[in-house]
């Protein structure tokens, strides 16, 4: 029993996940690759330690069930486990290097949900974040009515070429789902403008939801808030009722949520693309051409949620290769070994300093390529990396990939 009198329930973990706890051989391979361990160097934060603590807690909490017997864990064990479970960016690197191929992130997320329900997690800052997100419908503590202000800002600055229409008016087959970061964050909302400009330029019949666009609520799932399911059902119903054929999202967090998490909850009657995949598709279909050269060496940061979580490695690299003048130089850690920038999984709100250090580490890896530019197609990775540039005192210039694509098309 926890301090709240509730029990950490086993039913959040599948039989396969419970068995996987015994499959960990404690070989330590995950430790070498974990971006949090690189910065914290404490055994507690390693995946193998999380698994060890989880087993201990489950045995103590569920004596007699599933043949598990053990002593009730002390508060110190629970506190250490909670901190290590939540100070993790869910980057999925441990899964890729684990010889037993343990499905670690799914294990972390299901355990977080069990912890949430038992009152053992999340960390206080993450709890506040979830409460605000559910109250406001977005994580920026802003009114949803302001979600489309990127349009006015873009039209006023001349960076948005056309006023995008609401999909509820034009009933277009393609929904451009921008996500909260690319809508509300004034330092990032140029991503929405570039996305809309590229779609208009290519002649795509698309629309946006504007103030009716809800958060994807993916962070609730990452942090383990069980209300995620109800929010997901609401979004799936809303979007299915639009009758669209295709959803294009500018955010890799939204992409993972639609593609992986919603898929387990309900049927979505539309194809799902990340913006980088869709730009690549438009280019391969001859609907856009990259003609304006951008001269220089560039390195590419694979967002965990697109790369390791969804296998999207080639589409963004094809865009870079197609832009005349750009020369791609890879970082040592790329594709499935790309080092996480630290922004995901609720780590940023749990420990902002640690997230910033993770971004600085990644920037230093980018600098080692001797590239002049760093790019990524994820607004959240962009925000983490761009926010750490000053601390890293980096000479690199960072661009969101949609900006490079738009510039080379000759849009702005
Ligand atoms: S790499 Fe896999 S088996 Fe080895 S310690 Fe880590 S989780 Fe356990
Ligand atoms: S998901 Fe990433 S941050 Fe979390 S334990 Fe695994 S390697 Fe470390």
């Amino acid at each position: 029993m926890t301090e709240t009198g509730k029990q950490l329930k086993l039913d959040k973990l599948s039989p396969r996940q419970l068995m996987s706890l015994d499959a960990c051989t404690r070989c330590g391979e995950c430790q070498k690759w974990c971006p949090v361990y690189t910065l914290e160097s404490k055994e507690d934060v390693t995946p193998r330690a999380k698994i060890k603590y989880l087993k201990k807690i489950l045995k103590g909490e569920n004596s007699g069930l599933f043949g598990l017997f053990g002593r009730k864990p002390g508060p110190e064990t629970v506190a250490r486990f909670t901190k290590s479970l939540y100070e993790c960016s869910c980057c999925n690197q441990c899964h890729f290097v684990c010889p037993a191929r343990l499905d670690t992130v799914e294990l972390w997320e299901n355990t977080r949900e069990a912890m949430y329900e038992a009152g053992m997690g999340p960390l206080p800052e993450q709890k506040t974040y979830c409460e605000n997100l559910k109250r406001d419908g977005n994580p920026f503590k802003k009114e949803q009515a302001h979600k489309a202000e990127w349009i006015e800002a873009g039209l006023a600055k001349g960076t948005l070429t056309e006023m995008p229409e609401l999909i509820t008016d034009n009933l277009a087959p393609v929904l451009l789902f921008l996500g909260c970061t690319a809508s509300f964050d004034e330092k990032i909302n140029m991503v929405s403008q570039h996305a809309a400009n590229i779609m208009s330029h290519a002649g795509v019949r698309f629309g946006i939801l504007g103030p009716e666009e809800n958060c994807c609520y993916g962070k609730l799932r990452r942090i383990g808030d069980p209300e995620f399911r109800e929010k997901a059902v609401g979004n799936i119903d809303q979007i299915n009722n639009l009758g669209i054929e295709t959803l294009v999202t500018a955010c890799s967090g939204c992409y993972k949520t639609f593609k992986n998490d919603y898929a387990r909850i309900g049927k979505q009657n539309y194809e799902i693309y990340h913006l980088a995949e869709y730009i690549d598709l438009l280019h391969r279909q001859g609907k856009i051409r990259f003609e304006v050269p951008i001269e220089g060496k560039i390195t590419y940061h694979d967002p965990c949620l697109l790369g390791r979580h969804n296998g999207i490695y080639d589409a963004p690299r094809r865009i870079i290769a197609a832009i005349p003048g750009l020369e791609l130089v890879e970082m040592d850690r790329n594709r499935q070994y790309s080092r996480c920038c630290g922004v995901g999984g609720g780590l940023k709100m749990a420990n902002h300093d640690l997230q910033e250090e993770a971004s600085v580490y990644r920037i230093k890896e980018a600098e080692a390529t001797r590239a002049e530019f760093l790019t990524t197609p994820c607004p959240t990775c962009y925000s983490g990396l761009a926010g750490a540039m000053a601390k890293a005192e980096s000479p690199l210039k960072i661009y969101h990939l949609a900006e490079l694509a738009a510039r080379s098309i000759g849009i702005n």
Side-chain angles (χ1 to χ4, degrees):
M1 294 284 199
T2 65
E3 283 171 18
T4 58
K6 293 183 185 163
Q7 192 180 29
L8 187 67
K9 285 196 194 147
L10 284 165
D11 64 358
K12 294 288 171 200
L13 304 182
S14 66
R16 184 177 56 83
Q17 286 180 317
L18 286 170
M19 280 192 293
S20 78
L21 301 180
D22 283 328
C24 172
T25 59
R26 303 190 50 73
C27 69
E29 191 60 24
C30 50
Q31 174 180 315
K32 290 188 221 155
W33 294 84
C34 173
V36 175
Y37 182 79
T38 303
L39 301 170
E40 295 252 282
S41 299
K42 283 188 292 196
E43 171 67 17
D44 269 11
V45 302
T46 64
R48 71 176 177 186
K50 289 197 242 287
I51 289 170
K52 184 185 84 177
Y53 281 132
L54 177 58
K55 275 171 75 171
K56 215 174 184 179
I57 292 169
L58 284 174
K59 280 183 181 178
E61 294 270 320
N62 296 274
S63 291
L65 283 173
F66 295 87
L68 297 171
F69 293 94
R71 279 217 317 268
K72 199 169 135 40
E76 202 209 330
T77 305
V78 174
R80 285 170 73 173
F81 174 61
T82 307
K83 189 162 168 10
S84 67
L85 181 69
Y86 286 97
E87 285 196 352
C88 155
S89 64
C90 295
C91 72
N92 215 18
Q93 186 66 78
C94 41
H95 164 68
F96 272 82
V97 298
C98 174
R101 273 285 193 248
L102 294 187
D103 211 342
T104 45
V105 172
E106 209 192 324
L107 179 63
W108 308 152
E109 290 181 355
N110 286 0
T111 305
R112 285 175 175 195
E113 194 173 327
M115 300 273 287
Y116 206 114
E117 287 191 344
M120 296 164 86
L123 298 173
E125 301 80 0
Q126 293 167 326
K127 179 94 182 185
T128 306
Y129 177 94
C130 291
E131 296 306 325
N132 290 343
L133 175 53
K134 288 183 285 187
R135 183 196 61 211
D136 299 329
N138 67 76
F140 287 85
K141 297 187 196 159
K142 293 196 178 167
E143 286 179 29
Q144 281 295 96
H146 299 300
K147 195 155 191 183
E149 281 181 356
W150 60 271
I151 297 177
E152 284 159 41
L155 291 172
K157 277 193 286 181
T159 47
L160 182 66
T161 54
E162 281 177 35
M163 175 91 172
E165 290 180 69
L166 288 176
I167 201 152
T168 41
D169 291 340
N170 70 2
L171 307 178
V174 179
L175 169 66
L176 178 58
F177 190 97
L178 295 153
C180 297
T181 304
S183 299
F184 283 115
D185 189 328
E186 286 158 19
K187 293 192 199 119
I188 319 282
N189 68 14
M190 76 293 182
V191 173
S192 295
Q193 295 161 20
H194 295 308
N197 287 346
I198 293 170
M199 306 274 265
S200 302
H201 183 89
V204 176
R205 268 211 330 117
F206 77 98
I208 60 167
L209 276 164
E212 302 296 319
E213 184 189 285
N214 299 314
C215 179
C216 70
Y217 295 105
K219 279 290 190 307
L220 296 184
R221 169 66 184 148
R222 308 293 152 251
I223 295 174
D225 188 325
E227 279 186 53
F228 169 70
R229 171 170 283 275
E230 185 190 318
K231 298 288 188 189
V233 168
N235 276 353
I236 294 169
D237 286 349
Q238 180 200 23
I239 299 173
N240 275 342
N241 285 336
L242 295 172
I244 59 164
E245 293 164 13
T246 306
L247 179 147
V248 180
T249 177
C251 176
S252 52
C254 299
Y255 182 82
K256 175 173 166 61
T257 305
F258 281 107
K259 193 90 179 179
N260 309 138
D261 302 305
Y262 287 8
R264 293 194 200 106
I265 290 174
K267 183 161 169 19
Q268 298 171 89
N269 302 326
Y270 41 85
E271 276 193 276
I272 300 158
Y273 286 86
H274 184 265
L275 180 63
E277 285 181 293
Y278 202 69
I279 293 173
D280 173 56
L281 181 69
L282 293 174
H283 180 252
R284 288 188 285 118
Q285 289 174 336
K287 293 182 179 163
I288 52 174
R289 292 155 73 100
F290 300 124
E291 292 181 319
V292 179
I294 303 172
E295 300 291 341
K297 283 188 180 171
I298 189 161
T299 192
Y300 174 75
H301 170 71
D302 287 276
C304 307
L305 300 181
L306 283 193
R308 273 188 295 275
H309 282 275
N310 277 294
I312 299 175
Y313 301 112
D314 294 330
R317 286 176 170 81
R318 275 197 296 268
I319 296 171
I320 293 169
I323 296 177
L326 279 184
E327 181 193 342
L328 176 65
V329 277
E330 295 281 6
M331 287 184 250
D332 281 349
R333 283 186 59 171
N334 61 68
R335 293 178 177 257
Q336 66 265 42
Y337 301 110
S338 172
R339 181 185 293 279
C340 176
C341 67
V343 177
L347 177 62
K348 185 177 175 181
M349 48 290 251
N351 190 335
H352 182 264
D353 291 345
L354 190 61
Q355 175 269 304
E356 200 175 48
E357 279 180 56
S359 286
V360 168
Y361 208 104
R362 188 58 172 159
I363 291 166
K364 293 297 163 195
E365 290 183 332
E367 285 174 12
T369 64
R370 299 189 180 276
E372 300 151 74
F373 311 131
L374 167 62
T375 191
T376 187
C378 171
T380 318
C381 295
Y382 175 91
S383 119
L385 292 165
M389 280 288 176
K391 188 167 183 188
E393 298 181 352
S394 180
L396 281 166
K397 286 193 188 128
I398 181 164
Y399 293 102
H400 189 281
L401 187 59
E403 176 170 356
L404 296 173
R407 273 175 54 186
S408 185
I409 294 168
I411 297 173
N412 43 28

